[in-house]
Amino acid sequence: MVTLPHISRVASFDIDAQYTFTPVCPDELPVPEGTAIVEELNCQAALASVRVGSKDAHSPCAIWVATEEHPQFSAVAGEHVDIRWNQHAVPGTRGFELIAGLPHPADYDYFVWKGVEPDMHPYGACYHDLAGKLTTGVIEFLRSRQITTVLVGGLATDYCVRTTVLQLLAAGFQVVVNLGACRGIAAQTVEVAIDEMERCGAIIVSGTAQIRQGPQ
């Protein structure tokens, strides 16, 4: 059981909870049961005073888009990219949208759109680049609200959630990863990601039932 600090010090972070990472968009990057995280995301938000979120927002002309000649997971050259992925999360498409049951981006306290540049493909929501130099502002926003603990959920556990968690830990936040509000791409990489997050200091829980509300 995790006991939170005063609610004024707690934030909830919805990471890339978009249809692009669900079976609703089978040709993009579908994560099994990706749409099943909404209830837990909303439950963890009820334990926080601040709710922040992020979305992938990618150009259909991005240099990392997979092709027949250069399939998914193959390496791609560039300072701010690493491997190729299926085209996904293009603004204006269904995949770009947040999963039904979540707030509109304008109703979050802070929201990040990432990967807009066609030659950049960040995973974490705290920096626009892979090197962690160009901030998205979310760390600074959380600090401005005197947040000390961040409850995290989203898609996918083994990529964008993992990287965002490591970025938040490096910034000095206590991070609680709510696996009930996460789903991953593959069991093996999810296991590796959970182990790494835990070794770096994250608290791992299976759901909000394991989180005790702090003083009001």
Side-chain angles (χ1 to χ4, degrees):
M1 182 69 70
V2 177
T3 300
L4 298 176
H6 190 277
I7 192 171
S8 65
R9 300 285 193 248
V10 181
S12 181
F13 204 147
D14 300 352
I15 300 168
D16 301 358
Q18 301 166 257
Y19 282 118
T20 191
F21 302 116
T22 76
V24 173
C25 296
D27 296 327
E28 297 187 26
L29 296 175
V31 174
E33 299 183 346
T35 57
I37 65 173
V38 172
E39 182 177 358
E40 275 291 310
L41 286 175
N42 288 334
C43 285
Q44 73 178 33
L47 301 173
S49 63
V50 168
R51 188 172 191 174
V52 299
S54 67
K55 271 187 179 186
D56 272 358
H58 297 315
S59 167
C61 302
I63 66 172
W64 47 261
V65 172
T67 63
E68 288 188 12
E69 184 180 0
H70 302 287
Q72 185 165 242
F73 305 125
S74 60
V76 55
E79 184 178 358
H80 304 293
V81 293
D82 54 358
I83 60 176
R84 294 181 181 272
W85 293 96
N86 291 343
Q87 182 175 293
H88 63 282
V90 175
T93 67
R94 184 71 186 280
F96 180 67
E97 299 173 9
L98 291 177
I99 302 167
L102 295 174
H104 186 280
D107 294 324
Y108 283 78
D109 295 291
Y110 192 90
F111 206 88
V112 172
W113 290 266
K114 59 194 180 73
V116 177
E117 298 291 341
D119 60 349
M120 300 178 78
H121 188 269
Y123 298 97
C126 299
Y127 297 96
H128 289 294
D129 60 323
L130 293 178
K133 295 181 179 179
L134 183 59
T135 179
T136 63
V138 70
I139 288 173
E140 292 78 5
F141 172 79
L142 293 172
R143 287 174 176 163
S144 76
R145 292 294 187 94
Q146 299 183 314
I147 297 300
T148 61
T149 300
V150 185
L151 309 177
V152 168
L155 302 169
T157 312
D158 31 354
Y159 288 93
C160 296
V161 171
R162 166 195 167 273
T163 304
T164 303
V165 167
L166 297 180
Q167 291 171 344
L168 291 168
L169 289 168
F173 296 100
Q174 179 187 57
V175 182
V176 179
V177 180
N178 176 13
L179 296 181
C182 300
R183 294 294 187 277
I185 292 176
Q188 182 176 0
T189 49
V190 167
E191 183 178 354
V192 170
I194 292 172
D195 180 66
E196 182 178 12
M197 291 186 288
E198 194 165 29
R199 282 189 291 104
C200 289
I203 299 169
I204 310 296
V205 299
S206 61
T208 50
Q210 292 185 317
I211 305 174
R212 181 182 291 119
Q213 177 74 69
Q216 298 297 303

